[in-house]
Short mmCIF file of all heavy atoms in Angstrom, two decimals:
data_model
loop_
_atom_site.label_atom_id
_atom_site.label_comp_id
_atom_site.label_asym_id
_atom_site.label_seq_id
_atom_site.Cartn_x
_atom_site.Cartn_y
_atom_site.Cartn_z
N GLU A 120 16.77 -10.23 47.50
CA GLU A 120 15.48 -10.31 46.76
C GLU A 120 14.32 -10.53 47.67
O GLU A 120 13.46 -9.72 47.71
CB GLU A 120 15.54 -11.43 45.69
CG GLU A 120 14.28 -11.54 44.88
CD GLU A 120 14.44 -12.60 43.76
OE1 GLU A 120 15.53 -13.05 43.55
OE2 GLU A 120 13.39 -12.88 43.17
N ASP A 121 14.33 -11.68 48.38
CA ASP A 121 13.44 -11.89 49.38
C ASP A 121 13.95 -12.97 50.34
O ASP A 121 15.12 -13.48 50.14
CB ASP A 121 12.12 -12.30 48.83
CG ASP A 121 12.22 -13.42 47.86
OD1 ASP A 121 13.13 -14.28 47.92
OD2 ASP A 121 11.31 -13.57 46.89
N VAL A 122 13.20 -13.35 51.32
CA VAL A 122 13.68 -14.26 52.35
C VAL A 122 13.75 -15.66 51.67
O VAL A 122 14.72 -16.46 51.89
CB VAL A 122 12.68 -14.37 53.50
CG1 VAL A 122 13.04 -15.44 54.52
CG2 VAL A 122 12.67 -13.00 54.17
N VAL A 123 12.82 -15.98 50.75
CA VAL A 123 12.88 -17.32 50.17
C VAL A 123 14.20 -17.43 49.27
O VAL A 123 14.91 -18.48 49.28
CB VAL A 123 11.63 -17.48 49.26
CG1 VAL A 123 11.72 -18.78 48.52
CG2 VAL A 123 10.42 -17.43 50.10
N ALA A 124 14.58 -16.40 48.57
CA ALA A 124 15.77 -16.40 47.76
C ALA A 124 17.01 -16.57 48.68
O ALA A 124 17.97 -17.25 48.31
CB ALA A 124 15.87 -15.14 46.90
N GLN A 125 17.02 -15.93 49.77
CA GLN A 125 18.19 -16.06 50.76
C GLN A 125 18.35 -17.40 51.28
O GLN A 125 19.43 -17.94 51.77
CB GLN A 125 18.11 -14.94 51.78
CG GLN A 125 18.16 -13.52 51.27
CD GLN A 125 18.17 -12.61 52.34
OE1 GLN A 125 18.59 -12.85 53.44
NE2 GLN A 125 17.69 -11.31 52.05
N MET A 126 17.23 -18.18 51.36
CA MET A 126 17.21 -19.49 51.88
C MET A 126 17.61 -20.49 50.96
O MET A 126 17.66 -21.71 51.10
CB MET A 126 15.84 -19.86 52.43
CG MET A 126 15.33 -19.03 53.64
SD MET A 126 13.66 -19.34 54.01
CE MET A 126 13.62 -21.03 54.37
N ASN A 127 17.94 -20.01 49.69
CA ASN A 127 18.30 -20.95 48.62
C ASN A 127 19.68 -20.63 48.07
O ASN A 127 19.91 -20.04 47.05
CB ASN A 127 17.32 -20.72 47.49
CG ASN A 127 17.62 -21.74 46.25
OD1 ASN A 127 18.12 -22.77 46.47
ND2 ASN A 127 17.32 -21.27 45.10
N PRO A 128 20.79 -20.88 48.95
CA PRO A 128 22.15 -20.48 48.47
C PRO A 128 22.60 -21.28 47.23
O PRO A 128 23.58 -20.84 46.60
CB PRO A 128 22.97 -20.86 49.74
CG PRO A 128 22.22 -21.88 50.44
CD PRO A 128 20.83 -21.55 50.17
N ASP A 129 22.01 -22.42 46.92
CA ASP A 129 22.52 -23.11 45.78
C ASP A 129 21.82 -22.75 44.51
O ASP A 129 22.16 -23.24 43.41
CB ASP A 129 22.21 -24.66 45.94
CG ASP A 129 22.90 -25.18 47.19
OD1 ASP A 129 24.05 -24.71 47.61
OD2 ASP A 129 22.44 -26.17 47.83
N GLY A 130 21.05 -21.74 44.63
CA GLY A 130 20.40 -21.19 43.34
C GLY A 130 19.49 -22.17 42.67
O GLY A 130 19.54 -22.39 41.44
N ASN A 131 18.69 -22.81 43.50
CA ASN A 131 17.76 -23.84 42.88
C ASN A 131 16.82 -23.20 42.00
O ASN A 131 16.20 -22.14 42.33
CB ASN A 131 16.94 -24.55 44.16
CG ASN A 131 16.21 -25.74 43.64
OD1 ASN A 131 16.03 -25.97 42.41
ND2 ASN A 131 15.77 -26.57 44.48
N GLN A 132 16.61 -23.84 40.83
CA GLN A 132 15.78 -23.13 39.82
C GLN A 132 14.31 -23.11 40.23
O GLN A 132 13.62 -22.28 39.68
CB GLN A 132 15.87 -23.96 38.50
CG GLN A 132 15.13 -23.32 37.34
CD GLN A 132 15.72 -22.01 36.86
OE1 GLN A 132 16.84 -21.76 37.17
NE2 GLN A 132 14.93 -21.19 36.29
N ALA A 133 13.88 -23.85 41.22
CA ALA A 133 12.51 -23.79 41.56
C ALA A 133 12.08 -22.52 42.21
O ALA A 133 11.01 -22.12 41.97
CB ALA A 133 12.22 -24.98 42.72
N TYR A 134 13.12 -21.85 42.83
CA TYR A 134 12.82 -20.56 43.46
C TYR A 134 12.76 -19.51 42.39
O TYR A 134 12.40 -18.39 42.64
CB TYR A 134 13.81 -20.26 44.52
CG TYR A 134 13.69 -21.18 45.74
CD1 TYR A 134 14.45 -22.32 45.91
CD2 TYR A 134 12.78 -20.88 46.74
CE1 TYR A 134 14.31 -23.09 46.83
CE2 TYR A 134 12.71 -21.77 47.78
CZ TYR A 134 13.38 -22.82 47.93
OH TYR A 134 13.31 -23.64 49.02
N ALA A 135 13.39 -19.70 41.27
CA ALA A 135 13.46 -18.69 40.24
C ALA A 135 12.28 -18.73 39.34
O ALA A 135 12.00 -17.84 38.54
CB ALA A 135 14.72 -18.79 39.36
N ASP A 136 11.40 -19.77 39.52
CA ASP A 136 10.28 -19.91 38.72
C ASP A 136 9.20 -18.85 39.11
O ASP A 136 8.91 -18.84 40.30
CB ASP A 136 9.77 -21.30 38.78
CG ASP A 136 8.70 -21.61 37.66
OD1 ASP A 136 8.26 -20.72 36.99
OD2 ASP A 136 8.32 -22.69 37.59
N GLU A 137 8.57 -18.27 38.16
CA GLU A 137 7.65 -17.18 38.49
C GLU A 137 6.35 -17.83 39.07
O GLU A 137 5.56 -17.09 39.72
CB GLU A 137 7.26 -16.33 37.31
CG GLU A 137 6.66 -17.10 36.12
CD GLU A 137 6.41 -16.20 35.03
OE1 GLU A 137 6.61 -15.03 35.07
OE2 GLU A 137 5.88 -16.76 34.02
N ASP A 138 6.07 -19.14 38.80
CA ASP A 138 4.88 -19.85 39.29
C ASP A 138 5.12 -20.31 40.67
O ASP A 138 4.12 -20.86 41.26
CB ASP A 138 4.56 -20.92 38.34
CG ASP A 138 4.06 -20.48 37.08
OD1 ASP A 138 3.51 -19.35 36.89
OD2 ASP A 138 4.35 -21.15 35.95
N VAL A 139 6.32 -20.22 41.26
CA VAL A 139 6.52 -20.75 42.57
C VAL A 139 6.22 -19.66 43.55
O VAL A 139 6.81 -18.56 43.49
CB VAL A 139 8.07 -21.17 42.78
CG1 VAL A 139 8.30 -21.63 44.18
CG2 VAL A 139 8.30 -22.38 41.81
N GLY A 140 5.37 -19.89 44.48
CA GLY A 140 4.88 -18.89 45.38
C GLY A 140 5.84 -18.84 46.63
O GLY A 140 6.98 -19.32 46.74
N ASP A 141 5.22 -18.43 47.84
CA ASP A 141 5.97 -18.31 49.04
C ASP A 141 6.34 -19.65 49.55
O ASP A 141 5.66 -20.69 49.44
CB ASP A 141 5.09 -17.64 50.10
CG ASP A 141 4.84 -16.22 49.76
OD1 ASP A 141 5.59 -15.64 48.91
OD2 ASP A 141 3.85 -15.59 50.19
N TYR A 142 7.68 -19.68 50.06
CA TYR A 142 8.30 -20.91 50.62
C TYR A 142 8.13 -22.09 49.71
O TYR A 142 8.04 -23.23 50.04
CB TYR A 142 7.50 -21.30 51.89
CG TYR A 142 7.50 -20.16 52.91
CD1 TYR A 142 6.43 -19.34 53.12
CD2 TYR A 142 8.66 -19.82 53.57
CE1 TYR A 142 6.42 -18.31 53.97
CE2 TYR A 142 8.73 -18.78 54.45
CZ TYR A 142 7.60 -18.00 54.63
OH TYR A 142 7.58 -16.89 55.50
N GLY A 143 8.39 -21.83 48.37
CA GLY A 143 8.57 -22.84 47.43
C GLY A 143 7.23 -23.70 47.04
O GLY A 143 7.36 -24.61 46.46
N VAL A 144 6.13 -23.15 47.38
CA VAL A 144 4.86 -23.78 47.12
C VAL A 144 4.45 -23.43 45.69
O VAL A 144 4.19 -22.27 45.42
CB VAL A 144 3.76 -23.44 48.10
CG1 VAL A 144 2.45 -24.16 47.75
CG2 VAL A 144 4.12 -23.77 49.47
N THR A 145 4.32 -24.32 44.87
CA THR A 145 4.00 -24.01 43.38
C THR A 145 2.50 -23.72 43.19
O THR A 145 1.72 -24.55 43.77
CB THR A 145 4.39 -25.30 42.46
OG1 THR A 145 5.81 -25.52 42.72
CG2 THR A 145 4.17 -24.96 41.06
N GLN A 146 2.22 -22.71 42.59
CA GLN A 146 0.83 -22.27 42.44
C GLN A 146 0.20 -23.06 41.24
O GLN A 146 0.85 -23.42 40.34
CB GLN A 146 0.84 -20.81 42.08
CG GLN A 146 1.36 -19.86 43.09
CD GLN A 146 0.60 -19.91 44.36
OE1 GLN A 146 -0.64 -20.19 44.34
NE2 GLN A 146 1.27 -19.72 45.51
N PRO A 147 -0.99 -23.40 41.39
CA PRO A 147 -1.70 -24.14 40.35
C PRO A 147 -1.72 -23.43 39.01
O PRO A 147 -1.86 -22.17 38.92
CB PRO A 147 -3.08 -24.35 40.83
CG PRO A 147 -3.03 -24.09 42.40
CD PRO A 147 -1.94 -23.12 42.55
N LYS A 148 -1.44 -24.08 37.97
CA LYS A 148 -1.51 -23.51 36.60
C LYS A 148 -2.13 -24.50 35.66
O LYS A 148 -2.20 -25.66 35.84
CB LYS A 148 -0.08 -23.08 36.04
CG LYS A 148 0.87 -24.27 36.06
CD LYS A 148 2.18 -23.74 35.65
CE LYS A 148 3.16 -24.96 35.50
NZ LYS A 148 4.47 -24.46 35.07
N THR A 149 -2.55 -23.98 34.55
CA THR A 149 -3.19 -24.80 33.49
C THR A 149 -2.15 -25.50 32.71
O THR A 149 -1.02 -25.07 32.57
CB THR A 149 -4.06 -23.93 32.57
OG1 THR A 149 -3.18 -22.97 31.95
CG2 THR A 149 -5.08 -23.09 33.37
N GLU A 150 -2.61 -26.67 32.10
CA GLU A 150 -1.78 -27.38 31.29
C GLU A 150 -2.35 -27.53 29.92
O GLU A 150 -1.95 -28.48 29.17
CB GLU A 150 -1.49 -28.78 31.89
CG GLU A 150 -0.78 -28.65 33.27
CD GLU A 150 -0.57 -29.98 33.98
OE1 GLU A 150 -1.17 -30.97 33.37
OE2 GLU A 150 0.17 -30.09 34.90
N ASP A 151 -3.40 -26.89 29.62
CA ASP A 151 -4.00 -26.99 28.39
C ASP A 151 -3.15 -26.24 27.25
O ASP A 151 -2.23 -25.55 27.52
CB ASP A 151 -5.39 -26.39 28.31
CG ASP A 151 -6.27 -26.59 27.11
OD1 ASP A 151 -5.94 -27.62 26.48
OD2 ASP A 151 -7.13 -25.81 26.76
N GLY A 152 -3.50 -26.58 25.97
CA GLY A 152 -2.77 -25.90 24.87
C GLY A 152 -2.99 -24.44 24.89
O GLY A 152 -2.14 -23.66 24.36
N ALA A 153 -4.14 -23.95 25.43
CA ALA A 153 -4.33 -22.49 25.47
C ALA A 153 -4.02 -22.02 26.87
O ALA A 153 -4.83 -22.17 27.82
CB ALA A 153 -5.75 -22.23 25.07
N THR A 154 -2.93 -21.48 27.07
CA THR A 154 -2.48 -21.01 28.38
C THR A 154 -2.48 -19.46 28.42
O THR A 154 -2.37 -18.81 27.42
CB THR A 154 -1.08 -21.61 28.67
OG1 THR A 154 -0.26 -21.12 27.67
CG2 THR A 154 -1.23 -23.09 28.61
N ASP A 155 -2.41 -18.98 29.62
CA ASP A 155 -2.26 -17.58 29.85
C ASP A 155 -1.02 -17.01 29.29
O ASP A 155 -0.99 -15.86 28.87
CB ASP A 155 -2.38 -17.22 31.33
CG ASP A 155 -3.81 -17.55 31.83
OD1 ASP A 155 -4.78 -17.52 31.04
OD2 ASP A 155 -3.93 -17.75 32.98
N GLU A 156 0.15 -17.84 29.29
CA GLU A 156 1.30 -17.33 28.80
C GLU A 156 1.31 -17.02 27.27
O GLU A 156 2.00 -16.15 26.78
CB GLU A 156 2.49 -18.28 29.11
CG GLU A 156 2.77 -18.41 30.63
CD GLU A 156 1.90 -19.26 31.39
OE1 GLU A 156 0.94 -19.75 30.72
OE2 GLU A 156 2.00 -19.36 32.59
N ASP A 157 0.43 -17.69 26.59
CA ASP A 157 0.22 -17.49 25.21
C ASP A 157 -0.74 -16.45 24.86
O ASP A 157 -1.03 -16.20 23.70
CB ASP A 157 -0.18 -18.81 24.55
CG ASP A 157 0.93 -19.92 24.59
OD1 ASP A 157 2.11 -19.46 24.70
OD2 ASP A 157 0.58 -21.10 24.60
N GLY A 158 -1.36 -15.85 25.80
CA GLY A 158 -2.38 -14.80 25.73
C GLY A 158 -3.65 -15.26 25.08
O GLY A 158 -4.19 -14.53 24.28
N GLU A 159 -4.02 -16.53 25.34
CA GLU A 159 -5.29 -17.02 24.73
C GLU A 159 -6.42 -17.18 25.67
O GLU A 159 -7.50 -17.55 25.26
CB GLU A 159 -4.88 -18.43 24.09
CG GLU A 159 -3.87 -18.41 22.97
CD GLU A 159 -3.55 -19.79 22.37
OE1 GLU A 159 -4.16 -20.71 22.91
OE2 GLU A 159 -2.79 -19.80 21.50
N ASN A 160 -6.21 -16.82 26.88
CA ASN A 160 -7.30 -16.85 27.88
C ASN A 160 -7.45 -15.47 28.50
O ASN A 160 -6.48 -14.98 29.04
CB ASN A 160 -7.02 -17.90 29.00
CG ASN A 160 -7.13 -19.32 28.46
OD1 ASN A 160 -8.01 -19.52 27.56
ND2 ASN A 160 -6.44 -20.26 28.97
N GLY A 161 -8.59 -14.92 28.45
CA GLY A 161 -8.88 -13.61 29.02
C GLY A 161 -9.92 -13.76 29.97
O GLY A 161 -10.37 -14.80 30.46
N GLU A 162 -10.54 -12.48 30.38
CA GLU A 162 -11.69 -12.51 31.27
C GLU A 162 -12.99 -12.63 30.60
O GLU A 162 -13.31 -12.08 29.65
CB GLU A 162 -11.64 -11.20 32.01
CG GLU A 162 -12.70 -11.04 33.07
CD GLU A 162 -12.74 -9.72 33.83
OE1 GLU A 162 -11.83 -8.93 33.43
OE2 GLU A 162 -13.59 -9.53 34.65
N GLY A 163 -13.80 -13.65 31.07
CA GLY A 163 -15.13 -13.95 30.51
C GLY A 163 -15.09 -14.92 29.35
O GLY A 163 -14.00 -15.41 28.89
N LEU A 164 -16.29 -15.30 29.04
CA LEU A 164 -16.38 -16.33 27.93
C LEU A 164 -15.91 -15.78 26.55
O LEU A 164 -15.10 -16.49 25.89
CB LEU A 164 -17.90 -16.73 27.71
CG LEU A 164 -18.20 -17.74 26.60
CD1 LEU A 164 -17.51 -19.06 26.89
CD2 LEU A 164 -19.73 -17.93 26.53
N MET A 165 -16.13 -14.53 26.24
CA MET A 165 -15.64 -14.02 25.03
C MET A 165 -14.18 -13.61 25.09
O MET A 165 -13.54 -13.17 24.17
CB MET A 165 -16.45 -12.69 24.60
CG MET A 165 -17.91 -12.93 24.35
SD MET A 165 -18.12 -14.23 22.98
CE MET A 165 -17.29 -13.46 21.66
N GLY A 166 -13.61 -13.59 26.38
CA GLY A 166 -12.23 -13.46 26.51
C GLY A 166 -11.38 -14.62 26.17
O GLY A 166 -10.13 -14.54 26.01
N ASN A 167 -11.99 -15.79 25.94
CA ASN A 167 -11.30 -16.98 25.52
C ASN A 167 -11.13 -16.85 24.05
O ASN A 167 -12.02 -16.81 23.23
CB ASN A 167 -12.19 -18.24 25.87
CG ASN A 167 -11.46 -19.52 25.46
OD1 ASN A 167 -11.08 -19.82 24.38
ND2 ASN A 167 -11.19 -20.31 26.56
N PHE A 168 -9.82 -16.81 23.68
CA PHE A 168 -9.43 -16.50 22.22
C PHE A 168 -9.92 -17.58 21.29
O PHE A 168 -10.43 -17.15 20.26
CB PHE A 168 -7.93 -16.36 22.12
CG PHE A 168 -7.33 -16.38 20.68
CD1 PHE A 168 -7.55 -15.34 19.90
CD2 PHE A 168 -6.78 -17.47 20.23
CE1 PHE A 168 -7.13 -15.35 18.65
CE2 PHE A 168 -6.31 -17.60 18.88
CZ PHE A 168 -6.48 -16.46 18.12
N ILE A 169 -9.86 -18.76 21.64
CA ILE A 169 -10.31 -19.87 20.72
C ILE A 169 -11.82 -19.80 20.49
O ILE A 169 -12.35 -19.86 19.39
CB ILE A 169 -9.84 -21.24 21.23
CG1 ILE A 169 -8.30 -21.32 21.28
CG2 ILE A 169 -10.42 -22.36 20.39
CD1 ILE A 169 -7.74 -22.67 21.81
N PHE A 170 -12.51 -19.70 21.60
CA PHE A 170 -14.04 -19.56 21.45
C PHE A 170 -14.40 -18.26 20.69
O PHE A 170 -15.27 -18.35 19.83
CB PHE A 170 -14.60 -19.51 22.85
CG PHE A 170 -16.12 -19.33 22.77
CD1 PHE A 170 -17.02 -20.38 22.62
CD2 PHE A 170 -16.73 -17.98 23.03
CE1 PHE A 170 -18.39 -20.24 22.59
CE2 PHE A 170 -18.05 -17.86 22.88
CZ PHE A 170 -18.93 -18.93 22.77
N ARG A 171 -13.73 -17.16 20.93
CA ARG A 171 -14.12 -15.90 20.25
C ARG A 171 -13.77 -16.07 18.73
O ARG A 171 -14.55 -15.59 17.88
CB ARG A 171 -13.35 -14.78 20.81
CG ARG A 171 -13.66 -13.43 20.20
CD ARG A 171 -12.93 -12.34 20.98
NE ARG A 171 -11.58 -12.40 20.87
CZ ARG A 171 -10.69 -12.65 21.85
NH1 ARG A 171 -11.13 -12.96 23.06
NH2 ARG A 171 -9.30 -12.66 21.75
N THR A 172 -12.69 -16.76 18.40
CA THR A 172 -12.26 -16.96 17.01
C THR A 172 -13.36 -17.78 16.27
O THR A 172 -13.80 -17.49 15.15
CB THR A 172 -10.85 -17.63 16.92
OG1 THR A 172 -10.00 -16.74 17.59
CG2 THR A 172 -10.51 -17.81 15.46
N ILE A 173 -13.75 -18.90 16.85
CA ILE A 173 -14.76 -19.80 16.22
C ILE A 173 -16.08 -19.14 16.10
O ILE A 173 -16.78 -19.30 15.16
CB ILE A 173 -14.74 -21.18 16.98
CG1 ILE A 173 -13.40 -21.86 16.96
CG2 ILE A 173 -15.84 -22.03 16.40
CD1 ILE A 173 -13.40 -23.08 17.78
N PHE A 174 -16.54 -18.41 17.20
CA PHE A 174 -17.72 -17.74 17.32
C PHE A 174 -17.91 -16.75 16.16
O PHE A 174 -18.88 -16.61 15.47
CB PHE A 174 -18.01 -17.11 18.63
CG PHE A 174 -19.24 -16.47 18.86
CD1 PHE A 174 -20.42 -17.15 19.27
CD2 PHE A 174 -19.37 -15.05 18.71
CE1 PHE A 174 -21.54 -16.48 19.50
CE2 PHE A 174 -20.54 -14.44 18.90
CZ PHE A 174 -21.73 -15.26 19.35
N MET A 175 -16.88 -15.84 16.07
CA MET A 175 -16.94 -14.79 15.03
C MET A 175 -16.82 -15.33 13.67
O MET A 175 -17.45 -14.81 12.72
CB MET A 175 -16.01 -13.68 15.32
CG MET A 175 -16.14 -12.92 16.56
SD MET A 175 -17.73 -12.13 16.73
CE MET A 175 -17.72 -11.08 15.29
N ALA A 176 -15.94 -16.34 13.50
CA ALA A 176 -15.81 -17.03 12.10
C ALA A 176 -17.14 -17.58 11.69
O ALA A 176 -17.48 -17.48 10.51
CB ALA A 176 -14.81 -18.03 12.22
N THR A 177 -17.94 -18.19 12.62
CA THR A 177 -19.22 -18.70 12.23
C THR A 177 -20.17 -17.59 11.84
O THR A 177 -20.92 -17.71 10.82
CB THR A 177 -19.87 -19.37 13.49
OG1 THR A 177 -18.92 -20.40 13.95
CG2 THR A 177 -21.16 -20.06 13.10
N ALA A 178 -20.19 -16.49 12.54
CA ALA A 178 -20.99 -15.34 12.12
C ALA A 178 -20.68 -14.75 10.77
O ALA A 178 -21.50 -14.50 9.90
CB ALA A 178 -20.92 -14.19 13.15
#
Side-chain angles (χ1 to χ4, degrees):
E120 183 176 349
D121 51 25
V122 177
V123 178
Q125 296 182 28
M126 294 170 61
N127 182 33
D129 297 333
N131 193 347
Q132 184 65 24
Y134 292 93
D136 191 353
E137 62 180 359
D138 294 329
V139 176
D141 293 341
Y142 304 103
V144 178
T145 303
Q146 300 296 329
K148 60 182 181 180
T149 61
E150 296 178 350
D151 189 23
T154 60
D155 291 336
E156 290 79 3
D157 296 333
E159 296 181 0
N160 289 327
E162 183 180 359
L164 179 62
M165 295 305 299
N167 187 296
F168 167 73
I169 295 178
F170 176 82
R171 185 173 65 249
T172 299
I173 299 175
F174 182 85
M175 294 305 298
T177 305

